[in-house]
Amino acid sequence: MSNKGKIVTISGWLCTAAALVYLVYRLWQYDNYAAFWQSFSAAGWQQYAALLLAVVLLPCQLLIESRKWQTMLLGLVPVSLCDAFWQVIYGHVAAFITPYRLGEYPGRLLRMGYTFEQWRTFIGTWKDWLKDWRKWLRVLLLHLARYAVWMLQLWLILFFCGIELAPLEALVAIVSYYFCITVMPSVPAADVAFKGGWAVLIFSHFTENVPAIAIAVTLVWIVNTVLPLMLSFFMVRRTDTE
């Protein structure tokens, strides 16, 4: 491993450890768990409807990402939206098991049946792809659309957990949260703790309900990470048995 790689790895462990310590500290300091559980168990139909809508939005954001991937391949490899969807799912699995999600795009290409030499040829064609500003503009807009769905999902799940944010508050807090977890190095194995620490740091400016913040981030992780993984494993098993 190069010195740069070691620095990135060490930084990831340090940032993740700091986030975990901060999360545990804030949960330990919280002294109103009785009221929290009472409020959480008394959730009304509006809160469960919000949770259901957040789950329903999962295929929506996966289809947006599939369309983005299909657009990226436009003019390079003919791919249907259905094939692009399963390539995105396989890339999701590869990202989950590799450091810093580095395996996401190689996983998609593996799903396409590409060899190493074909990968090199494919990557070489991106120079021409970058010259088409209309294509990368569409990709950028689709990427922003997926982020918008992620933000809406988090807002809905925060509401389910009893945290009501005004639209402007939600916009500021959620954008800040996603910015921090995107630019800060982390360790994938402790992804939930890392995100939980940052979520508590940011959202505690709007609410003192620290356990609800931690549960909301965990639920978002389950919806957007665990459910696609379960779907991909189901499809792999189904393919192997056919």
Side-chain angles (χ1 to χ4, degrees):
M1 182 183 296
S2 65
N3 291 333
K4 183 178 180 181
K6 291 179 180 179
I7 292 174
V8 172
T9 300
I10 293 173
S11 299
W13 278 105
L14 290 175
C15 290
T16 302
L20 176 59
V21 170
Y22 179 74
L23 175 62
V24 172
Y25 171 76
R26 291 298 304 271
L27 290 173
W28 179 266
Q29 290 292 313
Y30 189 77
D31 58 0
N32 201 15
Y33 279 100
F36 162 71
W37 288 116
Q38 183 178 2
S39 175
F40 194 79
S41 60
W45 69 267
Q46 298 96 333
Q47 290 168 280
Y48 283 102
L51 177 62
L52 178 61
L53 180 56
V55 176
V56 170
L57 286 172
L58 171 62
C60 177
Q61 57 105 337
L62 288 176
L63 285 172
I64 291 174
E65 180 62 22
S66 302
R67 180 58 179 167
K68 187 185 81 173
W69 177 239
Q70 186 185 34
T71 303
M72 292 170 68
L73 297 175
L74 191 64
L76 303 175
V77 182
V79 176
S80 67
L81 184 61
C82 182
D83 287 339
F85 177 83
W86 291 116
Q87 289 160 17
V88 166
I89 293 295
Y90 274 67
H92 187 87
V93 177
F96 183 77
I97 62 177
T98 53
Y100 310 108
R101 301 183 61 88
L102 295 177
E104 181 169 6
Y105 287 97
R108 296 182 186 184
L109 295 174
L110 279 173
R111 171 64 181 173
M112 295 169 65
Y114 269 37
T115 64
F116 179 74
E117 290 299 323
Q118 287 174 312
W119 287 3
R120 294 178 60 183
T121 303
F122 177 82
I123 293 172
T125 59
W126 283 80
K127 295 179 181 178
D128 295 329
W129 184 92
L130 290 172
K131 297 177 183 178
D132 188 349
W133 67 269
R134 292 182 182 85
K135 185 183 293 184
W136 62 254
L137 180 59
R138 290 197 298 271
V139 169
L140 176 61
L141 292 175
L142 287 167
H143 189 69
L144 293 175
R146 192 185 188 194
Y147 259 100
V149 175
W150 277 333
M151 292 171 62
L152 179 57
Q153 284 179 303
L154 180 52
W155 192 15
L156 290 168
I157 291 179
L158 285 169
F159 175 74
F160 167 74
C161 293
I163 301 174
E164 298 185 34
L165 299 177
L168 183 58
E169 291 177 338
L171 180 63
V172 172
I174 294 175
V175 168
S176 300
Y177 165 71
Y178 275 119
F179 174 79
C180 290
I181 65 173
T182 299
V183 301
M184 296 298 292
S186 64
V187 177
D191 193 40
V192 177
F194 172 77
K195 292 178 178 178
W198 278 105
V200 169
L201 177 64
I202 293 170
F203 290 105
S204 59
H205 291 285
F206 302 94
T207 177
E208 296 180 356
N209 198 343
V210 175
I213 299 173
I215 290 176
V217 172
T218 303
L219 287 175
V220 170
W221 179 78
I222 291 173
V223 171
N224 288 332
T225 301
V226 177
L227 292 185
L229 285 174
M230 293 174 61
L231 177 60
S232 64
F233 291 147
F234 170 77
M235 291 306 301
V236 169
R237 185 175 180 181
R238 181 179 177 183
T239 301
D240 291 340
T241 57
E242 291 180 351

